[in-house]
């Protein structure tokens, strides 16, 4: 196992190098750069841009250099913790992300926890009460949750909140706390607003997890070892939890590779609709305005989380399910 982990870590290095090249290439593919987009935007609204300042910024950050030099400068800066400068916000990338990063992590982690707490008992109930009225009802709700996109659900809730209660839902805090340092009142305001995006974002995830857990658990419950355990008189709860439930959770462990990047970038469109102070809308805007350092740093951070998450899920699967170690080894 140690040899395998070391080998995977070594493989991660060229993988991340290739990803960085691909990210840099994609960001550079559109014609022009941030400064040209900025000048065009200023002219569109009838204002003039300070060309001298723009030329100084272009030279300072190497935009007049060949692409290989700019790539090496960008990657070398990230290796020492310098993620570059956001031209849109006129601040270093680390300062721009600021509170948005931990607010994104807060929303995503709470959503994941709520999803797990709801999905596991519902999935187990549906699998152990197959074709009952409860199973049919939960299946209907799950299919509705999968069919309705999160941003559409957000629009529906915003409409009814405004029509029925005359209130506008959105944001993660009251407007007076925006751009203010953290305080007890601000923390309470965040907790008051948190449940709305958690419900909206977690709907589809809960429904999908329920369907997969139900299908996997039903498959395990039909196997011979479960029938043998029941014939020997084992308690039904022990028959369920000893092996069937454990073996049906492989998909849950394999999802770790996608959960980690989703913590940072999940539900971007929903965040835009609800005007959430998270990193999703910032990433979309950075890509639209060709804010290279901000967008590139986000994408590379997501790539690192994905690679690390896949490694963690593979190791956990090998430890959790002995069949994977057996079939994954050499055969003679």
């Amino acid at each position: 196992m140690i040899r395998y982990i070391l080998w995977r870590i070594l493989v991660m290095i060229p993988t991340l190098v290739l990803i960085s090249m691909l990210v840099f290439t994609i960001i550079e593919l559109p014609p022009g750069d941030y400064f040209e987009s900025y000048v065009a935007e200023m002219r569109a609204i009838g204002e003039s841009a300070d060309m001298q300042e723009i030329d100084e910024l272009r030279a300072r950050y190497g935009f007049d250099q060949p692409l290989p030099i700019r790539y090496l400068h960008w990657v070398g800066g990230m290796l020492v913790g310098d993620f570059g400068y956001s031209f849109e916000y006129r601040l270093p990338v680390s300062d721009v992300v600021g509170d948005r990063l931990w607010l994104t992590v807060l929303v995503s982690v709470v959503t994941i926890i709520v999803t797990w707490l709801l999905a596991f008992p519902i999935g187990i109930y549906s699998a152990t009460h197959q074709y009952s009225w409860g199973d049919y009802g939960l299946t209907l709700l799950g299919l509705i949750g999968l069919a309705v996109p999160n941003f559409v659900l957000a629009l529906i809730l915003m409409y009814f909140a405004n029509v029925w209660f005359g209130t506008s839902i959105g944001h993660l805090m009251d407007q007076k706390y925006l751009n203010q340092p953290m305080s007890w009142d601000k923390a309470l305001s965040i907790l008051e607003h948190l449940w709305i995006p958690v419900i909206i974002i977690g709907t589809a995830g809960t429904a999908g997890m329920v369907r997969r857990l139900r299908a996997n658990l039903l498959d395990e419950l039909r196997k011979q070892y479960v029938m043998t355990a029941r014939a020997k008189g084992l308690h039904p709860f022990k028959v369920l939890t000893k092996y069937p439930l454990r073996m049906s959770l492989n998909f849950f462990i394999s999802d770790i590779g996608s959960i980690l990047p989703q913590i940072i970038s999940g539900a971007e469109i929903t965040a835009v609709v609800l005007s959430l102070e998270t990193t999703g809308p910032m990433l979309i805007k950075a890509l639209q305005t060709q804010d290279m350092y901000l967008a590139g740093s986000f994408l590379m951070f997501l790539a690192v989380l994905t690679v690390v998450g896949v490694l963690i899920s593979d190791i956990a699967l090998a430890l959790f399910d002995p069949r994977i170690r057996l079939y994954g080894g050499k055969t003679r």
Side-chain angles (χ1 to χ4, degrees):
M1 179 63 74
I2 295 177
R3 182 184 302 175
Y4 171 76
I5 295 174
L6 293 176
W7 177 78
R8 288 291 300 271
I9 292 175
L10 291 177
V11 171
M12 287 168 56
I13 297 175
T15 301
L16 291 175
V17 170
L18 291 175
I19 292 175
S20 67
M21 293 180 179
L22 182 61
V23 168
F24 184 82
T25 302
I26 292 175
I27 293 177
E28 291 292 335
L29 277 179
D33 52 30
Y34 168 79
F35 301 107
E36 294 183 11
S37 301
Y38 174 73
V39 171
E41 182 181 350
M42 296 299 291
R43 289 175 179 173
I45 62 177
E47 298 183 8
S48 60
D50 189 346
M51 299 305 299
Q52 181 178 357
E53 179 186 3
I54 290 177
D55 291 337
E56 291 177 356
L57 288 173
R58 192 191 299 271
R60 182 188 307 173
Y61 293 100
F63 278 77
D64 56 349
Q65 299 291 327
L67 289 180
I69 301 300
R70 292 173 56 189
Y71 167 76
L72 293 175
H73 176 74
W74 174 57
V75 173
M78 287 194 296
L79 291 176
V80 296
D82 180 11
F83 297 99
Y85 187 83
S86 172
F87 306 108
E88 177 73 19
Y89 296 91
R90 304 296 177 91
L91 288 170
V93 170
S94 56
D95 294 340
V96 172
V97 174
D99 290 344
R100 286 179 177 261
L101 182 60
W102 77 263
L103 285 174
T104 305
V105 172
L106 175 64
V107 173
S108 300
V109 170
V110 173
T111 302
I112 291 171
I113 293 175
V114 171
T115 298
W116 292 346
L117 292 177
L118 292 176
F120 277 93
I122 294 175
I124 294 173
Y125 176 84
S126 293
T128 54
H129 297 75
Q130 188 182 17
Y131 303 137
S132 65
W133 284 107
D135 181 30
Y136 284 130
L138 293 172
T139 298
L140 176 63
L141 291 177
L143 293 176
I144 294 175
L146 289 173
V148 179
N150 290 339
F151 69 91
V152 174
L153 181 60
L155 291 173
I156 294 172
L157 287 182
M158 291 177 68
Y159 172 78
F160 284 108
N162 188 29
V163 171
W164 290 350
F165 304 105
T167 183
S168 176
I169 62 175
H171 297 283
L172 280 175
M173 63 194 77
D174 293 332
Q175 295 295 306
K176 62 182 179 180
Y177 297 117
L178 293 176
N179 300 320
Q180 297 296 322
M182 180 55 63
S183 62
W184 180 250
D185 292 335
K186 182 176 180 178
L188 290 178
S189 179
I190 292 173
L191 293 178
E192 290 174 357
H193 290 74
L194 186 62
W195 65 274
I196 298 175
V198 166
I199 292 176
I200 295 173
I201 298 172
T203 300
T206 302
M209 183 171 290
V210 167
R211 301 308 300 164
R212 286 183 293 170
L213 179 59
R214 179 183 182 275
N216 290 350
L217 189 54
L218 281 174
D219 183 61
E220 290 293 327
L221 290 175
R222 295 191 182 104
K223 291 186 177 179
Q224 187 66 42
Y225 73 91
V226 177
M227 298 180 184
T228 304
R230 288 172 176 169
K232 289 183 176 181
L234 260 65
H235 192 277
F237 181 78
K238 190 172 183 179
V239 172
L240 174 67
T241 58
K242 183 64 175 179
Y243 288 111
L245 181 60
R246 177 183 173 186
M247 295 299 101
S248 63
L249 294 182
N250 282 0
F251 80 92
F252 168 74
I253 299 176
S254 62
D255 280 350
I256 295 176
S258 60
I259 286 178
L260 289 183
Q262 285 178 0
I263 289 178
I264 304 300
S265 66
E268 292 91 345
I269 306 301
T270 304
V272 172
V273 172
L274 291 175
S275 301
L276 302 182
E277 292 77 16
T278 56
T279 56
M282 182 181 290
L283 173 58
I284 294 176
K285 187 175 182 180
L287 292 172
Q288 291 174 336
T289 60
Q290 294 180 266
D291 196 351
M292 171 191 160
Y293 292 112
L294 181 57
S297 298
F298 262 120
L299 294 176
M300 281 305 302
F301 190 40
L302 296 179
V304 171
L305 289 177
T306 301
V307 173
V308 173
V310 171
L311 175 61
I312 294 174
S313 65
D314 288 346
I315 295 173
L317 281 172
L319 296 174
F320 192 76
D321 191 344
R323 296 174 299 179
I324 295 177
R325 292 199 301 270
L326 174 63
Y327 297 142
K330 296 181 179 180
T331 58
R332 296 181 181 178

